[in-house]
Amino acid sequence: MTARENTLADFPADSFTIFAWCDACGHSGTFDRAKVPEDIRMQTLHDKLRCSACGSRHVSIRIAYTGAGGFYYGAHSSSEPGEQQPPTKT
């Protein structure tokens, strides 16, 4: 099976988060999977995406494996020197 043939069902919601990323303006976010049929091919989904911020169709799909307890992004500052804060779960 090639990547173009993968369907949304190949990336179950309890293990994967799928982000849409606008290559034109940098806006990103997830979409409501309940509004998309599970048997839609990822290429078809990609072709239908449009940025909700700028309207561009130059949108990439990014798939993050979250099955191991979540997806953490970025460094976070702490209130006390040397104190570490857990990353924010997205």
Side-chain angles (χ1 to χ4, degrees), residues 7-9 18 30-42 44-46 48-49 61:
T7 66
L8 187 58
I18 301 177
T30 59
F31 59 91
D32 186 356
R33 290 177 72 132
K35 294 181 179 181
V36 182
E38 287 290 313
D39 63 345
I40 191 169
R41 290 180 329 130
M42 294 303 288
T44 302
L45 177 62
H46 172 264
K48 292 178 178 278
L49 292 176
I61 291 177

Side-chain angles (χ1 to χ4, degrees), residues 6-89:
N6 284 109
T7 66
L8 187 58
D10 293 326
F11 304 100
D14 62 341
S15 297
F16 294 91
T17 300
I18 301 177
F19 296 91
W21 186 279
C22 180
D23 297 324
C25 75
H27 179 253
S28 65
T30 59
F31 59 91
D32 186 356
R33 290 177 72 132
K35 294 181 179 181
V36 182
E38 287 290 313
D39 63 345
I40 191 169
R41 290 180 329 130
M42 294 303 288
Q43 183 63 45
T44 302
L45 177 62
H46 172 264
D47 294 345
K48 292 178 178 278
L49 292 176
R50 178 185 303 252
C51 179
S52 62
C54 74
S56 173
R57 288 208 174 264
H58 296 283
V59 179
S60 300
I61 291 177
R62 302 192 181 171
I63 302 169
Y65 175 69
T66 55
F71 176 71
Y72 297 96
Y73 177 79
H76 299 276
S77 62
S78 61
S79 56
E80 297 291 326
E83 179 184 337
Q84 291 185 345
Q85 303 232 349
T88 303
K89 188 173 182 177

